[in-house]
Amino acid sequence: MSKKPTAKEATSPAANDHAQAPVNARLTPEERIELFRKMMRIRRFEERSLRAYQAKKIGGFLHLYIGQEAVAVGCCSLMGPNDHVITAYRDHGHAIAVGMDTKALMAELYGKATGCSKGKGGSMHYFDPSRNYWGGHGIVGGQIPLGAGLAYALKYKGLKGAAMAFMGDGAVNQGAVHEAYNLASLWNLPVVFVIENNGYSMGTSQARSSAGELAQRAAGYDMQWGQCSGHDVYEVRAMMDKFLTLARETGKPSTVEIDTYRYRGHSVADPDNTYRSKQEIEEYRRTRDPIQLFQDKLLAEGVLTAATAEQIDTEARAEADVAADFSEASPFPTPADIQTDVYWEADNPSERRSQGRLFFT
Amino acid sequence: MPVITYREAVRHALAEELERDPNVVVMGEEVAQFNGAYKVTEGLLARFGPQRIVDTPISEAGFIGVGIGASMLGIRPVMELMFWSFYSVAFDQILNNAANVRYMSGGQIHCPIVIRGPANGGTNVGATHSHTPENVLANHPGVKVVVPSTPADAKGLLKSAIRDNDPVFFLENTMLYGEKGEVPAGEHVVPLGLADVKRPGTDLTIVTYGRSVLHSLAAAEVLEREHKVSAEVLDLRTIRPLDIDSVLRSVAKTHRVLIVEEQKPFASVGSQLAYMIQREAFDELDGPVHRLATVDAPAIYSPPVEVEQLPNPRRVLQAALETLA
């Protein structure tokens, strides 16, 4: 069964309208180029990590963000100092979007001590609290209550900010997501639940896994909701600006479903030949690639030249290669590192107050 | 020294820590308006207001997850589970998220959350409400597990738990809430990971914790009176970190060990203790390590029979005599 188009996708207005949204109209040329650059950097990072995986430099799973770049970049480009992000295991795009160093991200995939989680988390578990990025979580939907908790803390501290809690379309069927929806709405927590709907929860299409419209479920919890295309970074920004502003100004939560598409399988372990057609993937690549579409827009706006676009691409490829070289040259953690970063107290022995044995053999 | 109940001791710890640290929040089902399902939080709403004492819907995965997320940003939530038995519906939040987030982030995050509530059998509520998951919890590196037996320990350990920067799971006991004991007023802090000799002895070490401490003390009385046996009752108080040194010291004195626990026997806290004792004090033992656990079946409802499924003074006495035989 092929990907089910959302109602929004079917009736999408002229793409240029979203460029006129105030949040986009006020972007400087440099800021527009930066959005383009971030998407390109994500794409090239992901392609490079796939090659490293194929060369057996990377263990475990690898869930690539290729095709979905406009979602993370659009959303995270709106973050202020008190806005926070949490997501699931397809987490590389958000990490680059919030500004994490691709060397540390690639090194994490290589399982190196220089990785963003010291080689202890892997692909699914990127974190950088200094950039308000709280993971990187492996269990479908399990991060969503935590996202509501980040919003709870903002509210408790009286800070004007919002949490964005990202999930895939498969997560909407998990109980923890619904519990978080209810609590967020009941308590007016400033959180935007973002459903990145790429049409497939692993190999099961939306039509085969979810009854009804996904975002609309928010209405059952008395939350506002919206749908938009994730192929147009301007549209993502316009939609998210509305709901982030709602959260920051009124404390009200919302749910936004962003229609997107992944070109690669669920993970690299997915042969990707059982549940969708090659033609479908090619059609998306040809007509709705978020980077190509945005490049065309910026060329039309006169913000970008073909030469600059080419240069940004070249730089993004070079950056990914540098990240891979850095990872290659970095040391692995040692067996002695296995038992650090388990307990705060064990890592801060001078401040330890408890006694007794923390670890066992 | 004031004599108060275990319930009041927990409440005093909560109130004092709420007073001390504005980031402490008490959250759970019925903790505020209802004054607590077991009245532990009685009066806290009136004193601290709805910002600090927060009623939740019956939604353990949701509200425990919210607490964990909030703790990552510096709030110090003290979450009440009406029964620890309900941890199963929040298992992913408690043991995937709270236990692992520090590790998976390479030490960038810590999670100063306390989850507390009763975990015990003996109240004729059947298998779903009678779980004692301290072994399951303690199986997860990154968490701390506390099971206080007396009012003084309940207060002192809970204050330590709330100040701790790691996730602490605090297992109380509905059968102990009404028990009275001397508890210091004001600042009284018992460090986690420190066992306590509740009764000194020379012939037998009974290693135990939680309500089984009371049963063991009762049995020790009979052992002394009727069998001329001097039993030492060592209360672990904390399961992880574990004060194994105090256990080994006692074993070196008595050379005989009985472990008493309100646990299903398979892979229990006692299993771990028995392994460690034989490994680290083999030459001190005059006989095999014995254990008295819950009779291995789901918790039976039938009230008089449930008493016989759990550790009780008669069963402890019998097990002690077998250990000495």
Side-chain angles (χ1 to χ4, degrees), chain A residues 84 86 100 108 116-118 120-122 125-130 133-157 176 179-180 182-183 186-187 189 337-348 351-361, chain B residues 22-25 27 51-52 54-76 89 92-93 96-97 99 101-110 140-144 160 163-166 191-194 239-245 248 272 275-276 280:
Chain A
H84 294 262
I86 191 165
M100 288 177 75
E108 187 63 26
C116 55
S117 294
K118 303 183 189 169
K120 293 178 173 181
H125 308 119
Y126 283 179
F127 291 85
D128 188 351
S130 75
Y133 180 58
W134 300 93
H137 293 265
I139 304 297
V140 172
Q143 78 282 8
I144 300 302
L146 302 188
L150 295 169
Y152 187 94
L154 289 172
K155 180 173 179 168
Y156 187 84
K157 293 178 172 182
E179 296 194 26
N182 182 53
L183 289 169
L186 194 66
W187 291 345
L189 303 181
D337 295 322
I338 294 172
Q339 286 187 312
T340 59
D341 304 313
V342 179
Y343 287 98
W344 183 91
E345 268 202 327
D347 299 334
N348 297 275
E351 293 171 75
R352 182 171 175 188
R353 285 193 285 241
S354 80
Q355 304 180 27
R357 223 174 272 184
L358 280 168
F359 295 97
F360 299 84
T361 52
Chain B
N23 282 323
V24 173
V25 178
M27 201 185 276
Q51 291 293 107
R52 312 285 305 281
V54 183
D55 275 329
T56 69
I58 300 171
S59 186
E60 288 85 3
F63 75 74
I64 296 282
V66 165
I68 295 165
S71 79
M72 299 191 312
L73 263 186
I75 307 298
R76 303 187 84 90
V89 295
D92 181 49
Q93 297 302 323
N96 252 328
N97 288 341
V101 74
R102 177 171 184 79
Y103 197 68
M104 294 191 307
S105 67
Q108 296 181 82
I109 295 172
H110 65 278
H140 293 76
V143 313
K144 294 171 179 171
S160 285
R163 298 175 191 188
D164 202 282
N165 280 336
D166 293 307
L192 306 187
L194 183 63
I239 306 303
R240 188 168 186 157
L242 181 68
D243 183 4
I244 189 66
D245 291 345
L248 299 175
Q272 175 66 21
Y275 165 75
M276 293 174 81
E280 301 185 35

